[in-house]
Amino acid sequence: MSGLAAATRRTSFDALLPTTDAALLAISRFRKRLPHPLLEWLPPESVVSRSLQKASLLEEAADAGFAVLETTQCHDPEQARALGFPVVVKPAQSIVGNRREAARVVSDAAELDAALAALGTPVLVQRFYDGAPVLSLGGVAWNGKLVALAASRWARRWPPADGAASFAETVVPPREIVERAEALVAALGWQGIFELELLRLGERTFAPVDFNPRPFGWMTLAVRAGANLPAVWAKCVRGADPAPLVVARTGIRYRWEDGDAKHLLWQLRRRRLRAAGAVLAPRRCVAHAYFEARDPLPLGAAVWREVRRLTRRE
């Protein structure tokens, strides 16, 4: 933190935007060490901590009008087995110790024991809904209101059962879902960029499964679709009037290249040729996580990183 403080004092900045859960948590806890104007926008430490707690999302979901997944908060393995299998095991928050830990889908007792050993306790155990579509809302909340919004429907994920979006498309979300999302974010007290992931359990039934109070993986899709969330956030930080609501255009697609490539290989190994063909099918209006013709280095770096990882494994 001392190094970050020194760096921010050497150059003039208007604001500091953490981009990972670990950075957000650390900067929030030690904000007094940083120049005060950089974090004037950041909610109080108690709000930041609560926004990162997965149980807080469930506590506020029902009051906001969302469905709530069947969940057990567990302190020992016997409690965790109560829902049966398969289930999703989530840490209390994504930062466990000094490392990031994602949720895990477990199918038997051995996998559950391994998850508990890695995540510690308490954990949240939720019933797993295989194949349930994901609707993800990315946006900017300011003074209790949504000022920018991009909604995406995930077509593919990596890993397939519980991973991030590897292919997605912007859509028009149901109006009542947007209103509920606004109420939920306001109840958490969060202000700034966020992502809210929802499982679609029925025609009008959605259940929150994750809340990320920070920039997120498919941000490039929101920007390409006309909802430049970082720019809207910066305007709010500078005191500009954010009205009217900035909404992403529909029909713009997103591909996370290495995630989608891994998804393709996963489908081929299982001889799911139709699903593999969907990955290979050409699409128009696609925003890429890394690739851009005028700036090829990010994709090159991603490929090189994957090659090195595979080489070390061999």
Side-chain angles (χ1 to χ4, degrees):
M1 191 59 64
S2 59
L4 177 60
T8 56
R9 290 190 177 95
R10 284 196 299 269
T11 309
S12 176
F13 297 100
D14 293 320
L16 178 64
L17 177 62
T19 57
T20 67
D21 289 352
L24 174 62
L25 191 61
I27 286 170
S28 176
R29 287 177 176 173
F30 300 102
R31 64 181 72 195
K32 292 183 179 179
R33 299 186 185 181
L34 298 170
H36 177 67
L38 293 178
L39 296 172
E40 285 183 338
W41 69 272
L42 188 65
E45 184 181 347
S46 59
V47 172
V48 172
S49 178
R50 189 163 185 268
S51 297
L52 289 168
Q53 294 290 329
K54 299 187 183 299
S56 301
L57 178 63
L58 300 177
E59 291 169 3
E60 301 296 347
D63 287 343
F66 285 112
V68 179
L69 297 181
E70 185 178 359
T71 306
T72 302
Q73 185 165 348
C74 305
H75 295 267
D76 60 64
E78 291 307 316
Q79 283 182 302
R81 293 187 177 94
L83 287 180
F85 299 103
V87 291
V88 180
V89 181
K90 298 180 177 180
Q93 65 177 25
S94 61
I95 304 303
V96 179
N98 59 357
R99 67 186 188 280
R100 187 181 187 280
E101 290 285 355
R104 303 183 180 203
V105 177
V106 302
S107 302
D108 54 41
E111 291 182 358
L112 176 60
D113 291 340
L116 293 176
L119 303 180
T121 54
V123 294
L124 299 181
V125 179
Q126 295 179 328
R127 192 168 303 283
F128 176 58
Y129 292 83
D130 189 19
V134 175
L135 174 67
S136 186
L137 303 180
V140 178
W142 203 258
N143 294 331
K145 298 291 184 181
L146 291 183
V147 295
L149 180 69
S152 71
R153 180 178 59 230
W154 294 7
R156 292 187 292 275
R157 311 171 70 170
W158 182 258
D162 58 346
S166 63
F167 195 86
E169 181 177 350
T170 52
V171 296
V172 177
R175 181 177 178 179
E176 65 270 21
I177 298 304
V178 175
E179 292 172 351
R180 293 171 191 171
E182 183 176 67
L184 176 56
V185 177
L188 290 171
W190 179 250
Q191 175 168 284
I193 296 173
F194 72 89
E195 181 202 26
L196 175 64
E197 295 174 13
L198 306 167
L199 279 189
R200 182 179 177 180
L201 304 179
E203 184 63 28
R204 294 287 178 175
T205 304
F206 291 82
V209 291
D210 205 6
F211 180 73
N212 297 307
R214 52 165 173 76
F216 46 89
W218 54 273
M219 180 72 74
T220 185
L221 173 59
V223 174
R224 174 73 176 274
N228 191 330
L229 306 185
V232 174
W233 171 83
K235 288 180 180 179
C236 292
V237 168
R238 289 182 160 187
D241 185 1
L245 175 66
V246 176
V247 180
R249 299 189 306 275
T250 61
I252 309 300
R253 301 177 178 92
Y254 161 81
R255 189 188 300 276
W256 169 31
E257 298 92 340
D258 47 339
D260 227 17
K262 292 173 184 176
H263 185 101
L264 170 64
L265 294 175
W266 186 86
Q267 298 289 6
L268 289 174
R269 290 191 187 105
R270 287 154 181 79
R271 301 182 183 278
R272 298 174 179 174
L273 300 184
R274 180 174 296 181
V279 180
L280 294 172
R283 301 283 187 172
R284 299 180 62 185
C285 301
V286 177
H288 294 267
Y290 297 111
F291 174 72
E292 189 173 348
R294 62 183 180 181
D295 185 16
L297 289 181
L299 178 60
V303 172
W304 175 243
R305 183 177 64 246
E306 186 63 19
V307 169
R308 291 187 62 189
R309 186 185 69 83
L310 293 174
T311 302
R312 286 196 297 267
R313 178 182 293 179
E314 291 298 324

